[in-house]
Every structure is written in structure tokens, then in C-alpha cells.
Amino acid sequence: MKNLLFIVLYTWSLLCHADGLPDLGDASQGAMSPQQERQIGEQSMFEIRSDKDYLDDAEVNDYLNQLGYQLVSNSNEPWQKFEFFALNDNTINAFALPGGFIGVNTGLILMAQSESELASVLGHEIAHVTQHHLARMVAGQKIDSITAIAALAVAILAARSNPQASQAAMVGMQASSIQRQLNFTRVHEQEADRIGLTTLQKAGLDPYAMPIFFERLQKSTRLLDNNMPSYLRTHPITSDRIADVANRVQQIPYRLVADSLNFQLVRAKLRAMQNNSQETVNFFKSALGEQKYGNQTAKRYGLALALLRIGQVALAAQEFAPLQALTSRNPMIATLAGKIKRASKNNDGIVAFYRSATLSFPQHRALIYDYVELLLDTKRFEDALKLLNEQIITHPNDLRLHELLARNYAALGKRQEEHHMLAYTYILRGNLHNAIEQLELAKRAGTDFHELSIIESELKQFKEIAAAHAKKN
């Protein structure tokens, strides 16, 4: 837990930015350091993760990070830390925050007709980060504290998520006003195009996808009755930019790049998640019946998932049956197989299925969550505890793992550990008050000397941060 505690305490201390807490200096005096950029991004993410539109879906976000890091490893700063995440928003948008945090709206993922098209947008956003465009613009506002700059970064996000907003005010300015001051310049956009294109090619993806996708985005303005996509407001795609990228790709030999199955499965999942109506089921049935375009495996996956979501378990199992052979080869298909088995109350060999699947895909968090749920439901508490402790070492800031661990401790009657773990879940949500309350309960609930010493140390530090925060306000 030490890594989690360090991250949480450090970030909260920056949020307070009060006497007795770390002072990062005046970030407005020239360019910010990479450490300061990361701190700004971390603070902004507290706001984003608590927003209702943040898509807390491990499979979607893990896919975005896999694709994102395929690009990052071929960028001009392969050592830079990044976090890619999705927002459940049908508008067509993507954005970068200082420190390598890149958000993608589900609307943009669904609009992309190939994995390389989606990657072209990620490559462009990665370039904005590695070239420190946003950080330089934020620093140029001459703001005298990291906390204020983080608030400004969140205001930028608000303006980009809703460019029509006129009331969102932060650090004394409306978000829409901030947006006008901090839109990327033409030079920034051209540089991000050029570097993103190179990254796309080096990563083994199709560079021809970039001008194709940009042109479709530009045309979508007319298709949406002049309601310009958010991405075009913050990254104006001009004919000159499209022509420049198109000319550059003409110098690159063309080769066909196939989409990964996970790209197709993620898009099918997002479409299946749009609502719980029969309309979604009918869409996938029609798509399967036509057999003219798209990936048949992904369509069947989407149909089975849509049926499962509206409670038609038997039909979901029937539609999923042709995919059964792929459960050992793809973690998303294995996860859906497990969900259908559990919903069908088909308990024959289900624990063995999950044990085998998690050995095959040990880092697929959605599969791990479901396996732990099964172990808890079948009262295999010690097995669940072992698996959770192994996973939390790898994912120390995974909220769902901590929630499951708190449940596990509660089932074992370990109240001190339960409240201690609940404190971590609250701090990961940015709720310092409730975290302190849970630590107080943990302190009174047990007698383990080692555990108590950790709890008391954390209580002291959390209370100092809370006092500094109260003083600041």
C-alpha cells in the first residue's frame, strides 16, 4: 500500500498548497518541469474521475492504454508516463492534459472506422504532450501556484467538454474565456500532426488513416447540421492541414494494416452499452444478418452482450456459443463467457473456468473483478484474499480492487482491515473527510500493533492535510 499512500498524500498536499506542505515554486517563471506537469494532471484527474461521464470500464480503458502505449513507445519521449481514459459522451472529442493524461469520448471511438484512425487521434494528442504545448500555454498565463494551474487545467477540460458553456468559472475566469486564450495555435496543430504521423508509422499502424479521418471529421460538420464536433472547435481541421498530412503520407509506401480484434470488440461493447433497449439487440441482429461489412466475431459479441444486459440470458448464451472456441485466445471474449455462465447459474466447473482464464490473462482486470466476485459469492474468502493482494501490488490505485478487498475483509470479520481498506476507497475518490472517518473506525476496531501503527501514521498525515485544506478555504 505504500505506493498508493505516497501518491494520495502527495497529491492531496498539492491540492491544499498551504503552509507546512510542499511548495513547488512559481510555475509561471518559464516552462514547467515534467514533474510539475504530472502533478497538474494528477490533480485534474481527481475532478475527472469523480465526474459522472468518466467511464469506469476496465476493458475500454485498458484497451486505450494498450493502443496508447504502442504509440508512446514509438514517440519522441518514450519514457513519458501516460494515462488514457474514456468519457461516456457521444460527442466527437479527445483532449490532452498536462502530464500525459489523454481523454477520449466514446463518440470518437465509435466514429473511427479503423484502429489506425483512432490511433491517429491518440498520436496527435500524444504529440501535444511530448511537445509540452498545453503546459507552455498554461505556464504563459503567469499563474503563481500549481494548485491554481491545476484548476485552470480543469477549466480547460470544462470548456472543451462543453464549448457552449458560459457559466463555468474557475480561477476568476469563465471556462469559455480560458478556451479562447488557450486553444492550440496553428503551429502547434501542424507540429502535432507531423509528429503524430511519424509516431503512427513507427508504431506499425496506417499513416494514411490520419488524413482520411480528419477529412471525415471535417465533413461531419455538414452532416450534423452545422453543429460542429467538439474536436473541431479545439483542434481546427483546415483544408491546409488535411492537404499537408495527405502530402506527407504520399511519401510513405502503403501497406494494409488490419484492425486488432480488441478494437472491434471495444466498439461493439460501447454500442451495446449505449442503452438497455431492444433497439440495440435489433441493431446487432441486423448487422449479423447482412454479413456485408464489419467483424462478425465482434457483432456476435455485441449481440450476446446486449442480450445479457436486458436479461435475456438463455438467448445470450445461444448467440455466444459460436465464440466459445475463442475464450482461450481473447480476454474480452473470456470475460463475457464468464458473465454468461454466472448469469445462467451454470456453476459446473465455473471456478475452474475462471482459474484457467485468469492464468491465461493475468492482467485483464475485468476478468479478475468477476473471478473475485465469484470467490466471494461462493465463500472462498482466503482464495479471494490471495488474488486481491496479488493484484493490488500491480494496480495500487485501482478503486474496484480496494472495494472488493474491503468486502473480503468484512466477510472474514476483519473489521480493522475492512475500515482501513474503505479509507483507501474514499481517498481514491477524493473524499478526505470520509477517509479520516474510516481510519478512526479502523483504529478502534482492532488490536494488531503493526496495523495500528500504520493507521495512526496515516491518520496524522491525513488530518494535517485536512487542517491545511480547511485553513486555505
Side-chain angles (χ1 to χ4, degrees), residues 362-391:
Q363 297 304 316
H364 197 71
R365 291 184 297 156
L367 191 61
I368 298 295
Y369 299 155
D370 289 351
Y371 186 22
V372 172
E373 292 267 8
L374 174 66
L375 292 173
L376 293 176
D377 290 345
T378 54
K379 303 187 186 307
R380 291 172 167 85
F381 301 128
E382 294 299 335
D383 290 343
L385 185 62
K386 181 176 182 293
L387 179 58
L388 284 166
N389 283 329
E390 289 171 353
Q391 287 294 316

Side-chain angles (χ1 to χ4, degrees), residues 63-64 67 71 104 108-122 200 205-214 216 254-265 267 294-295:
Y63 166 73
L64 286 176
L67 179 60
L71 294 160
V104 186
L108 189 141
I109 299 172
L110 288 170
M111 186 181 185
Q113 293 183 8
S114 72
E115 189 166 38
S116 291
E117 289 187 359
L118 174 58
S120 71
V121 175
L122 295 185
L200 200 65
L205 293 152
D206 180 12
Y208 282 76
M210 182 179 278
I212 291 171
F213 193 50
F214 283 1
R216 191 178 318 118
Y254 176 77
R255 67 184 183 86
L256 184 64
V257 179
D259 296 333
S260 71
L261 177 57
N262 280 347
F263 168 72
Q264 299 290 356
L265 293 177
R267 293 179 77 249
N295 184 289

